[in-house]
Amino acid sequence: MINLRVVTTSYTKGVREWDTEKEFWKIEPTAGPCANEDRNLNGTLDSGEDANGNGVLDPRNVATFSGNVETTEESNDSVTVGRITTDERGYADFFVVYGTEFGHWATVSLTAETQTTGTEGSQSRAFGLPVAQEDVEKQDEPPVGEISPFGDGASC
């Protein structure tokens, strides 16, 4: 059994602009990277967590799992927690999934933990959410997420 956890750790505000030299829609940040305001990841706006003063926690978690992952009751608006069972070789396949509009605008942290008789292990990786090349290579077709889903303001 592997316990999985994915959380959006930071986000960027801005717009995409066509890069005539490289021929793709690149991001032009106006603010960020902006840190996740939910410091204790409980999904609730607690005292001192609303850094930008807009009355909500930014960002909400934008990623989840697909495959044979069972999402648990520990999940909330800030973190997705799941469990997956390994096969006889100790392997398990799953995917981190997210809306196309969040590609290039958010960074997530994925943690996998396992516990076996008397030992436990944990491994985490942070990564920016990628976009498919074909989604950003046509000048006449602005991509989904042309404006960051977090806005284009000048501050976090």
Side-chain angles (χ1 to χ4, degrees):
M1 177 79 64
I2 298 174
N3 295 315
L4 300 169
R5 176 177 142 137
V6 65
V7 60
T8 305
T9 56
S10 66
Y11 63 98
T12 301
K13 293 181 175 184
V15 297
R16 288 188 189 273
E17 293 181 355
W18 182 253
D19 184 321
T20 55
E21 186 177 305
K22 296 183 180 176
E23 297 188 344
F24 80 104
W25 288 91
K26 66 179 180 179
I27 67 166
E28 287 294 329
T30 56
C34 307
N36 186 331
E37 293 179 324
D38 192 2
R39 292 188 298 257
N40 59 5
L41 300 178
N42 67 354
T44 303
L45 179 58
D46 298 316
S47 177
E49 286 186 326
D50 186 14
N52 62 13
N54 68 353
V56 296
L57 290 170
D58 292 310
R60 294 299 193 182
N61 194 32
V62 301
T64 190
F65 302 107
S66 72
N68 294 321
V69 178
E70 172 192 345
T71 304
T72 72
E73 66 281 349
E74 300 162 67
S75 297
N76 59 45
D77 286 341
S78 292
V79 61
T80 303
V81 180
R83 291 188 180 97
I84 190 168
T85 303
T86 59
D87 64 17
E88 63 280 351
R89 298 172 299 138
Y91 289 93
D93 291 325
F94 65 92
F95 299 94
V96 174
V97 294
Y98 51 93
T100 304
E101 70 272 20
F102 297 106
H104 290 167
W105 297 115
T107 299
V108 299
S109 177
L110 172 64
T111 302
E113 298 174 333
T114 186
Q115 188 170 28
T116 58
T117 313
T119 62
E120 58 185 64
S122 176
Q123 192 70 240
S124 293
R125 293 281 186 263
F127 56 94
L129 298 177
V131 298
Q133 182 175 344
E134 61 265 15
D135 290 343
V136 292
E137 67 182 5
K138 296 176 187 157
Q139 183 176 5
D140 60 336
E141 294 180 30
V144 174
E146 182 179 7
I147 298 173
S148 168
F150 308 108
D152 60 357
S155 65
C156 291

